[in-house]
Every structure is written in structure tokens, then in C-alpha cells.
Amino acid sequence: MPSDTPEQPPHPDEDLDVLAADDAAEEIANDDNDMAMDSGDEDDEELVLVNDAIAYFDEPQDSLFSIAQHPLHPSLVAVGGSAGAQDDAPGAGWVLDTSAAQSRPVLPASFASDPSSAADRPPPTTLASLYALEGHSDSINSLCWTLPAGEILVSGGLDGRVKAWKADAKPSAGLTMTPLGETQEVEEVNWVAPCPSADNPNTIALGANDGSVWVYTIDPSDAANPLQIVQSYFLHTGACTAGTWTPDGQLLATVSEDGTLYIWDVWGAAAAKGIVDSNGQTAVSMSPEDQRFEVEGGLYSVAIDPKATFVAVGGAGGAIKIVSLPRLGGAAAQPRAGKTSGADATTGGQILASLHSQSDGVETLAVTLAQTTPPTVLLAAGSVDGSICVYDATRRFAVRRHIVGAHEEHSVVKVEFVKNSWTLTSCGMDGVVRRWDLRGSAVGAGAQAAGGTAGASDGGLIKEWKGHRGDGEGGGVLGFVQGETGERVVTAGDDGVSLVFEA
């Protein structure tokens, strides 16, 4: 992670070809490029246990709900969940060093004709805990390392507690973890997210089940009050389900079960430009009162593109809304009223697109700036219906690829691009991690011949890793991290196991 983050640049008109405001009323649906994963021959089905992991951590006694990777030392990974299957079991977490995982040699060509040669491969490495995260009375369901240097590890729990540990990682001395303190302002913490602003290091945001949003700065030198409240917001009327920062850390986007989206002006950068709502807190406010933005059933995912030109929110029924963000790098704008539906390109708040290609809730979103000339901005959406849909933001959010059954009939839990690439990694409740190459045409020759339906090869599947329980057997992958390069993928499993896979 770079040590300093440049100021958000101005947004030249040619940066991103998005929908004009007068085109925003059209809802985009797509059925022509849908691609189905091959279901295979179900006759004579045989249960085959597969473990592709090069290492595993199986100390947890129950589900692992969260995982976080150190920004400077990617081999350091924290996982969190429950200490046991009992209803009153406390939360538990661990810090691991995945560098101990032994790489496997590439299999020789003879393996194709002699699978028994797999016995010569080294067994998976057993990972040990470097440090145990204790003190939560209920499950740890969110973790993050602070930015820019990963100086502090923060946990959020279903007990409402936020706990912080100072992490001192030195190559010669190993890892030293020191408890800093805790705070509890809510009943349940739903998520935590580190602020990437270099001007405001060691800052995190969290969203709670009561709809509140909190921003804390953590000061390890203040023993009496290490977790200091920067802002607290109370505009959501339903549970705050997801949140993310703009790349420069100036704005915070959050969504809720009540169907609202708020872009919080945490540090006053928008107010300094005259871009602030009448409430004095938000740069953009969107609610179901604007029927074009309404998503019946609420919003559950949010992502911001690397240039901070738009925010995507996903919700129930497969709905996705694309909203423009204010341009903080330009000249000051005229102060505006609280209503944002008529906002101009500078102040943000325009509904750029309404997308609806999937049949069930969109609970994970990811955006990449793929390196092409000119650059291509892709938005990936994972759905409860098991599909992944990829939109091309540089072509008016046209559907580039719709992989029906990407994780069969099981929910897609997370999608994430390898940084600045066409490579997408996904995990699901089927217990499988998959990797996709999104280059090339949206539908291959086989799909065209089949009238738009394709197998995994036409969907761009290039790798899959198995080892977790799934298929409704009390398992599934609830999260993963892959660093900036994607060379190793580390998972958090509903089966209480963390696995390390090698690309």
C-alpha cells in the first residue's frame, strides 16, 4: 500500500463514458449473453473429496466469518469468527503467517495419465496461530488492518464491541500484538472499513445493525482514549449493510436495508467545494422517495470505481443502481439544496444507470480499471442466484459477461478483481473459489451456437480451488483475500477452516 495517497484529480470528460442524465430512466436488462456453467452428467454421480490447498488452519471450532490481510506484509492474515457452536459461545480470532505454506511443484506431464503420481506431492502445511484475538462475547464478523501501514488490527463483533490491537511486524523479530482498548456504542457491528487517506492514518469506519455509521481514529500513543470518535451519523433507518471509502479517503459511501445511499463528507472536503446537502453531513443523499432509485427489499452492497466517478449499489431482486460522485478536484460549486436528483456532473447524485440482469439479491460488487488503451472500467456483481454479471462501464454499463451458475445454485459471497487486471476471483456457498479471465468477446463460439448459453470455458473460468465443505453440507467460503498480485488466495470457511491456495 503506498505511504501517501495523491489528491483526487479532476475528472476530464473523456475519463469515463457513462450515461447522460437524460438517458438514466432506461433500465438495462440482458438475456442474450447469459452463460451457464456446465452441470455435467448427473448419472452415476460419485462423491469425490478434493483439497487443492497448500496449507490450512483448523484451530477454530466454528464458522469463520471474516478475514483481513496486512497491507504491507500480505503473508499476515487475520481471521475471525466464533469460539464454538453454542449460542452463547464468545467470539474468537487469530493472526496467521501464511508464508509458512510450502509451495507445490508443478506436476509433470505424466500426471495426466497417472493420477497416482499426485501422492508424490507434499501434503498441505499446517499453520499455527501467531496471536489469538480475545475479548468478544459474541462472534467476530468484521476485521481490518488500518492504512496506510497496517499499524493496527481492528475487530468488530456481534456483541457491538470494536477492539484494537497494535501490530508491530518486523522481519527479524516477528510479530508483536499489543491490546490497545475497545469501545461499544451499538448492539451489533456489521462491517468495518479502513480509511485510505494518508492525511488521516489509522482511521476506520463501521456500520451497525441500528443503521448508525461511526468513524474512529485510533491513536496508539493515547493510552487513556485510543479509539477516538471522529464522526457519527444516524440518517439510515434500517441496518447499515455495507460501506466503502473513495480511493482518496475523503468520502464514505454507505447503504442500508431501508434502501438509502449516503455519501458522507467525513473530512469536510465537499463542504469546502460548496457540495453538501442541507443536512450538512452528506455530499449525496439517495432514497426510495426517488422512484428511479427505489429498490424494494433494500441495499446490501456498494463499490466505488478507482477514479471515484461513480458509486454502484446492489440490492434485493438483482437490482443495481449507478450514481455519480461529486468532483472534489475541480473549482468550488454553487451551494445546492438537499435534493440531489437534479444534480449536475460536478456535484454528483445523478442516477447514471439502473441494471437488472440477475434474479436475486446482489450482495457483492467489485470494480477494476483494466489496463487497456483506453482503460476499461469493469463492474462485477455476485448474486444470491449463483451468477456473476460483469458490466462495461466504459460502454454505458453494457453487459460484458453473465455467467449463470458461476457457483451453481449457491450464493456468490464475494467477487474481487486482481488489482488493475481482467482477472476476477469469486467464492460461494458451494465451498469453491474460482478465478475468471474476462478478456475477449462476451460470448464465445460455443455460446453463440447454443443461443447465448455457454459452459465454464466460454465464461472465462481459468482456475478453481476446492477444499471447503459446501453444497449445503454446512460449509461454504465466507470470504477471501488475495493481495495485489493474486498469487495466493487465503479463505475463511463456514466449516471453521482457513485454506491457502496457490495460483
Side-chain angles (χ1 to χ4, degrees):
M1 192 80 189
S3 60
D4 56 357
T5 304
E7 292 294 324
Q8 180 171 308
H11 296 267
D13 292 340
E14 66 270 18
D15 277 353
L16 185 61
D17 182 14
V18 297
L19 290 181
D22 54 4
D23 295 330
E26 180 181 358
E27 181 164 305
I28 301 174
N30 182 81
D31 295 317
D32 296 334
N33 290 342
D34 292 358
M35 289 173 286
M37 298 278 290
D38 288 332
S39 60
D41 188 358
E42 296 181 359
D43 294 335
D44 302 324
E45 185 174 348
E46 181 179 349
L47 179 63
V48 179
L49 299 179
V50 179
N51 185 3
D52 299 314
I54 62 170
Y56 66 93
F57 175 70
D58 63 353
E59 185 174 327
Q61 300 300 306
D62 200 20
S63 301
L64 292 175
F65 298 117
S66 54
I67 186 168
Q69 188 169 34
H70 196 282
L72 299 185
H73 306 285
S75 65
L76 291 180
V77 174
V79 294
S82 174
Q86 303 86 359
D87 291 340
D88 59 350
W94 300 265
V95 180
L96 317 174
D97 183 2
T98 62
S99 65
Q102 182 181 357
S103 296
R104 286 178 174 173
V106 178
L107 290 173
S110 60
F111 176 72
S113 58
D114 183 17
S116 63
S117 61
D120 298 331
R121 300 172 70 179
T125 304
T126 303
L127 299 179
S129 171
L130 299 181
Y131 187 83
L133 307 176
E134 300 175 341
H136 282 279
S137 60
D138 205 341
S139 297
I140 296 175
N141 67 336
S142 50
L143 289 164
C144 74
W145 300 86
T146 58
L147 298 173
E151 185 179 355
I152 297 163
L153 175 62
V154 180
S155 64
L158 293 179
D159 56 2
R161 287 187 175 93
V162 177
K163 297 181 67 68
W165 291 264
K166 188 178 187 302
D168 189 7
K170 296 180 179 179
S172 58
L175 175 70
T176 302
M177 302 289 293
T178 305
L180 291 177
E182 68 174 63
T183 186
Q184 184 177 9
E185 301 286 349
V186 299
E187 291 183 355
E188 295 180 4
V189 176
N190 287 341
W191 56 268
V192 295
C195 177
S197 169
D199 295 329
N200 302 283
N202 296 331
T203 297
I204 62 103
L206 67 88
N209 66 320
D210 62 1
S212 62
V213 177
W214 302 75
V215 180
Y216 289 89
T217 289
I218 305 167
D219 183 359
S221 66
D222 189 342
N225 184 32
L227 286 88
Q228 301 165 6
I229 298 175
V230 177
Q231 301 284 1
S232 55
Y233 304 114
F234 303 93
L235 295 183
H236 291 301
T237 59
C240 183
T241 50
T244 190
W245 295 86
T246 52
D248 63 1
Q250 293 299 310
L251 302 174
L252 172 67
T254 63
V255 294
S256 169
E257 287 182 353
D258 65 9
T260 56
L261 160 69
Y262 293 118
I263 309 297
W264 307 100
D265 184 25
V266 177
W267 310 108
K273 297 292 184 180
I275 306 172
V276 67
D277 290 323
S278 59
N279 57 38
Q281 298 177 315
T282 57
V284 172
S285 301
M286 308 296 293
S287 78
E289 292 180 4
D290 183 342
Q291 293 185 351
R292 297 177 305 147
F293 189 75
E294 182 180 13
V295 176
E296 185 176 354
L299 300 173
Y300 296 93
S301 55
V302 60
I304 292 175
D305 78 289
K307 294 185 178 181
T309 56
F310 69 84
V311 56
V313 298
I320 299 173
K321 303 292 182 180
I322 311 295
V323 178
S324 66
L325 288 173
R327 300 180 179 182
L328 301 184
Q334 293 296 320
R336 59 177 166 85
K339 186 177 180 181
T340 61
S341 58
D344 61 28
T346 301
T347 60
Q350 294 174 301
I351 301 177
L352 302 176
S354 294
L355 314 174
H356 203 154
S357 299
Q358 293 159 298
S359 62
D360 209 337
V362 174
E363 298 200 349
T364 175
L365 293 165
V367 188
T368 188
L369 184 64
Q371 296 305 305
T372 57
T373 305
T376 299
V377 179
L378 300 177
L379 168 67
S383 173
V384 176
D385 68 10
S387 73
I388 295 173
C389 193
V390 181
Y391 302 91
D392 190 337
T394 50
R395 289 173 173 78
R396 297 175 175 262
F397 294 96
V399 174
R400 182 178 186 89
R401 194 160 300 179
H402 189 184
I403 310 170
V404 178
H407 285 268
E408 300 176 357
E409 73 275 12
H410 301 281
S411 296
V412 179
V413 176
K414 180 179 179 178
V415 292
E416 181 181 88
F417 286 96
V418 175
K419 187 176 181 180
N420 296 336
S421 78
W422 295 84
T423 304
L424 180 73
T425 308
S426 65
C427 69
M429 294 307 294
D430 57 352
V432 182
V433 179
R434 292 189 168 94
R435 182 162 283 175
W436 314 86
D437 185 347
L438 302 176
R439 291 172 295 185
S441 61
V443 181
Q448 294 172 6
T453 302
S457 58
D458 278 322
L461 180 66
I462 54 176
K463 187 81 173 182
E464 70 175 12
W465 296 280
K466 297 180 179 180
H468 286 285
R469 290 204 308 266
D471 293 320
E473 297 298 326
V477 183
L478 301 183
F480 67 84
V481 293
Q482 60 180 348
E484 293 191 355
T485 64
E487 294 176 0
R488 284 189 171 184
V489 179
V490 187
T491 63
D494 195 28
D495 51 10
V497 177
S498 177
L499 299 178
V500 181
F501 298 111
E502 195 165 44

